[in-house]
Amino acid sequence: MKKEDLSAAMSNINVKFIEEAENCDMNKTKIIKRPLSRLAVAAIIIGCFILSTAAYASVTLVDWEAIISFYDKDGNETQITVSDKAFFKELPDDIPVTEESGPSIPMSKAHAEEILGFSVIGSECSAESIEHYYSTMMNKNSNTVARVDLWCPRFISEGETKDINMLAEILSTEAEDGFIYPFIDGTDAAGGKVYLESYFIETLGVSAVMYTYDDAAYKLNATFVYDDIYYNFTANNYTLDEFKDILNTLK
C-alpha cells in the first residue's frame, strides 16, 4: 500500500478513543483481575487497522494504467499502454443525469462544456453546430455520477461514407472500482483488433494507440488520454496518413 493510502486509512481510526485514553484517570479505574495481555491488545489494534484499511481501499482505485490488448492468430496477447497513470475528472454536483439505458441528451459542444465545467476536444475541421450526445452512468452504492460519455457521430464529415466519430469517456473522481476496470482492460471489447502503431499527436502532446480490425480494414481507431479524459476517434474510409493529419487538427 502506498504511503498516502496508508495515511488515509489510519485517519479512519476514531479520534474519540484516543481522547478517552488520554483523559482516563487511573485512580478512578477499578483493577481488572484478568487484564488483556499486550499481545491481545496489539491484535485488536491491528484488526481495527486492517478493517479500516479495507474499508478505505474499497472506495476506489487510485493507482492503475489503461491498456488495450491485441491477440495474434495463435491467441498470444500483446498489451499496448494507452495511459500509464490513473485519470479522473472532478464533476459538478448538479450535472444532468440520464436514465439507465435511456436516451442521450443532444447538445452543442459549448453547452456540454458549460455543464461539465471544462473543455473537451474540438477540431478546426469540425462544424460548429455538430451535436454531442450526453449520457451518464451512476454508482449503485452512492447514487453519484460515476462516468459521463459524450458521443459525437460524424465529428468530421467529408461525404456520405467518409467521416470520423468521436467518443469522450469521462471518469468521475466519485467512480467506484467497477467503473474503473473497463478502462484498465480497454473499453473496445471487439475481437480481431489489429495494432498499427503508437502515434504522437503534436498538437496535444500525447501518444495515440492506432489500430484497425482484421475484418474491417476501412475502419481506423485512435485511442488516447488527454486532460484526464479517455478519447476514441473512429475514422471510416480514411487512409492512415489522412487520419493522422486530422488528429493533428485536434485542440
Side-chain angles (χ1 to χ4, degrees), residues 6-133:
L6 185 60
S7 298
M10 287 292 290
S11 68
N12 288 337
I13 298 175
N14 198 328
V15 177
K16 172 185 175 183
F17 299 121
I18 298 174
E19 293 175 346
E20 287 180 353
E22 291 176 345
N23 296 328
C24 179
D25 186 350
M26 293 303 297
N27 293 324
K28 298 179 181 179
T29 304
K30 294 182 179 179
I31 298 175
I32 301 174
K33 292 184 178 180
R34 292 186 180 181
L36 291 173
S37 68
R38 292 183 179 179
L39 183 61
V41 172
I44 292 172
I45 294 174
I46 291 172
C48 291
F49 171 72
I50 290 174
L51 288 174
S52 177
T53 302
Y56 176 80
S58 68
V59 173
T60 188
L61 299 175
V62 296
D63 186 16
W64 48 274
E65 63 178 14
I67 60 97
I68 297 179
S69 293
F70 299 91
Y71 297 88
D72 63 19
K73 61 182 180 180
D74 298 319
N76 299 311
E77 180 184 16
T78 299
Q79 293 185 346
I80 305 298
T81 300
V82 178
S83 174
D84 59 4
K85 63 183 182 70
F87 47 88
F88 302 93
K89 293 293 283 188
E90 187 78 33
L91 298 177
D93 294 332
D94 58 349
I95 62 174
V97 174
T98 57
E99 294 182 7
E100 186 173 354
S101 302
S104 304
I105 303 174
M107 61 182 65
S108 67
K109 178 176 182 289
H111 188 194
E113 291 175 336
E114 181 182 357
I115 287 173
L116 295 170
F118 50 80
S119 299
V120 294
I121 282 178
S123 167
E124 61 190 30
C125 299
S126 182
E128 291 185 6
S129 60
I130 193 71
E131 282 191 324
H132 293 60
Y133 291 85

Side-chain angles (χ1 to χ4, degrees), residues 165-182:
N165 306 321
M166 183 197 79
L167 174 62
E169 298 171 293
I170 304 163
L171 195 62
S172 167
T173 54
E174 300 291 331
E176 296 165 358
D177 51 10
F179 285 97
I180 299 171
Y181 285 128

Side-chain angles (χ1 to χ4, degrees), residues 180-214:
I180 299 171
Y181 285 128
F183 291 92
I184 296 175
D185 297 328
T187 59
D188 187 349
K193 293 189 293 292
V194 179
Y195 174 65
L196 297 174
E197 61 177 285
S198 290
Y199 177 69
F200 185 75
I201 305 173
E202 294 184 0
T203 55
L204 300 179
V206 299
S207 289
V209 179
M210 309 280 291
Y211 63 96
T212 185
Y213 303 97
D214 56 12

Side-chain angles (χ1 to χ4, degrees), residues 226-245:
Y226 176 71
D227 190 28
D228 290 326
I229 300 174
Y230 190 94
Y231 287 96
N232 181 268
F233 287 83
T234 304
N236 296 301
N237 298 308
Y238 279 76
T239 67
L240 186 58
D241 286 340
E242 287 175 335
F243 192 21
K244 290 178 180 178
D245 288 341

